[in-house]
Amino acid sequence: MQPTLSVNPTSLSFAAKDQAKTIACTVANADGYTVGASSSDPANFAASVAGTTVTVTPTENTGSARNATVTVYLTNDGGATKVAAKTVAVTQAAAGGSAGDLLCARALVRLRQRLCDGVACGGFLARVERNE
């Protein structure tokens, strides 16, 4: 049987200045595997792992809203091979941004997940994010 991984939650939203949040991982058929994680923007969203918990720690945002993904995976060779990978969308409000700004950022991330599920469409969404 192949190892399986599920993550909860599947997205995280942070205020411009916020504390770390965690992702709970559930694994099955994973003898000899450990949970690993990597961030698409480690300078702003650091990801660390302790057992089956991934902690995402944002830096303070002093600019515009930003987003990234954290990839959570199983590995049995220190991360060289990643199995059963799951992505967690991460958003952070702009400096001085309102709760409405954060809600818009969350909606955009959900839209990106739905539109791009298994499809390379980053260029299209980059234009949408810039309101072109």
Side-chain angles (χ1 to χ4, degrees):
M1 296 185 97
Q2 294 293 321
T4 61
L5 170 69
S6 62
V7 295
N8 185 34
T10 57
S11 64
L12 294 173
S13 297
F14 294 96
K17 186 174 182 179
D18 210 341
Q19 301 297 315
K21 295 184 180 181
T22 60
I23 303 164
C25 302
T26 303
V27 299
N29 305 318
D31 289 342
Y33 287 85
T34 58
V35 173
S38 61
S39 172
S40 66
D41 185 2
N44 292 308
F45 300 101
S48 61
V49 179
T52 58
T53 301
V54 176
T55 301
V56 179
T57 306
T59 59
E60 182 177 351
N61 190 355
T62 58
S64 60
R66 56 189 175 202
N67 58 62
T69 58
V70 172
T71 303
V72 182
Y73 54 86
L74 296 174
T75 184
N76 62 1
D77 58 7
T81 304
K82 297 172 178 140
V83 179
K86 303 292 182 191
T87 57
V88 176
V90 181
T91 60
Q92 187 174 29
S98 67
D101 293 340
L102 185 55
L103 290 175
C104 288
R106 288 179 193 161
L108 181 59
V109 168
R110 284 193 298 274
L111 175 63
R112 171 180 276 170
Q113 287 176 318
R114 287 187 185 122
L115 290 175
C116 296
D117 191 20
V119 179
C121 62
F124 165 75
L125 286 172
R127 287 189 299 276
V128 170
E129 288 173 352
R130 290 191 309 263
N131 295 320
E132 292 179 351

